[in-house]
Amino acid sequence: MFIIKGFLDRVLFAVGVLLFMQVPHFVDQYTHRLGGYYQAQANHLEQYQQIANKQHQGDLDALIQAFTGSEQASVRETGNNISVIRKQAESVKSDLYVLDHKSLTSKLVHLAINTRYDIAQQTLANYKPGVPFSMASLVCALLGGVLMSMLFNSILFIPRLFKRKPEKSPAVTKKRIEPTVTRVARAG
């Protein structure tokens, strides 16, 4: 039984290493996809910026104001769309700064709070597992291996907590029986 537990412990350690090594790799792929999304938005905004340069002395806000102040609904919607695209591009740019320049812990916290689920789903759909050899991935791998091993060993330990221990019966003390001499009185 000890050999099987040891083998399972090692297998789960290896599984933890491989799974947790994927975390920084996924973050990298997510960052690349987000970078492409940002670039598409920046290119889109650049086209409007060129119009603003020609018509409004480079003031994109003036262009947006001109669009939103129009009497035509389609032109007003275009102004609103430009405004939304600009806000999204600024938000994505700040996300990219964190994902490109901060530590893995900061990246994971940022992703936990600010995940763009459409980008995450696309990243997951096209995800290619890999074995990156960065310091962050090696630390994650070691952490994953240790956590899986601890989980396995704690699962094995839990039944021992509830296992009823045999009660120790009080020690039976043997009384030493002293021979007693009884005198029988003789009749006589």
Side-chain angles (χ1 to χ4, degrees):
M1 186 66 171
F2 179 73
I3 293 173
I4 294 172
K5 285 194 282 187
F7 177 73
L8 284 175
D9 187 33
R10 285 175 180 81
V11 166
L12 288 174
F13 182 86
V15 167
V17 165
L18 291 174
L19 285 177
F20 276 67
M21 190 176 271
Q22 299 310 305
V23 172
H25 190 56
F26 178 81
V27 171
D28 287 343
Q29 288 189 14
Y30 176 88
T31 303
H32 291 300
R33 185 168 295 276
L34 191 64
Y37 181 68
Y38 171 74
Q39 191 60 49
Q41 287 182 327
N43 290 344
H44 200 95
L45 273 178
E46 181 59 32
Q47 293 172 0
Y48 289 112
Q49 185 62 53
Q50 289 175 3
I51 295 170
N53 291 345
K54 290 177 187 174
Q55 303 297 324
H56 299 280
Q57 292 78 34
D59 189 0
L60 189 59
D61 286 325
L63 178 67
I64 292 171
Q65 194 68 17
F67 275 116
T68 56
S70 175
E71 291 181 18
Q72 293 181 356
S74 60
V75 177
R76 283 193 309 269
E77 253 183 73
T78 302
N80 291 333
N81 285 342
I82 297 170
S83 181
V84 167
I85 290 170
R86 183 169 67 175
K87 287 177 186 173
Q88 286 178 345
E90 290 169 359
S91 174
V92 171
K93 187 176 182 178
S94 69
D95 288 347
L96 280 174
Y97 178 79
V98 172
L99 295 173
D100 280 336
H101 298 95
K102 299 292 181 174
S103 69
L104 180 62
T105 307
S106 299
K107 291 176 184 180
L108 292 175
V109 169
H110 184 78
L111 279 177
I113 296 169
N114 300 308
T115 300
R116 296 176 185 276
Y117 292 103
D118 55 335
I119 303 291
Q121 286 175 341
Q122 292 170 3
T123 304
L124 197 56
N126 296 308
Y127 183 72
K128 303 272 189 278
V131 183
F133 285 105
S134 65
M135 185 56 77
S137 65
L138 294 177
V139 168
C140 272
L142 183 61
L143 179 68
V146 169
L147 286 175
M148 290 294 276
S149 182
M150 286 174 55
L151 178 67
F152 174 70
N153 286 309
S154 65
I155 289 171
L156 290 179
F157 183 72
I158 288 173
R160 289 188 214 162
L161 293 174
F162 297 106
K163 191 175 185 181
R164 179 174 256 193
K165 295 179 183 177
E167 292 183 25
K168 293 183 179 180
S169 58
V172 176
T173 55
K174 292 184 181 179
K175 290 186 178 180
R176 185 171 178 196
I177 302 175
E178 297 283 330
T180 56
V181 179
T182 51
R183 293 190 181 198
V184 179
R186 290 191 196 174

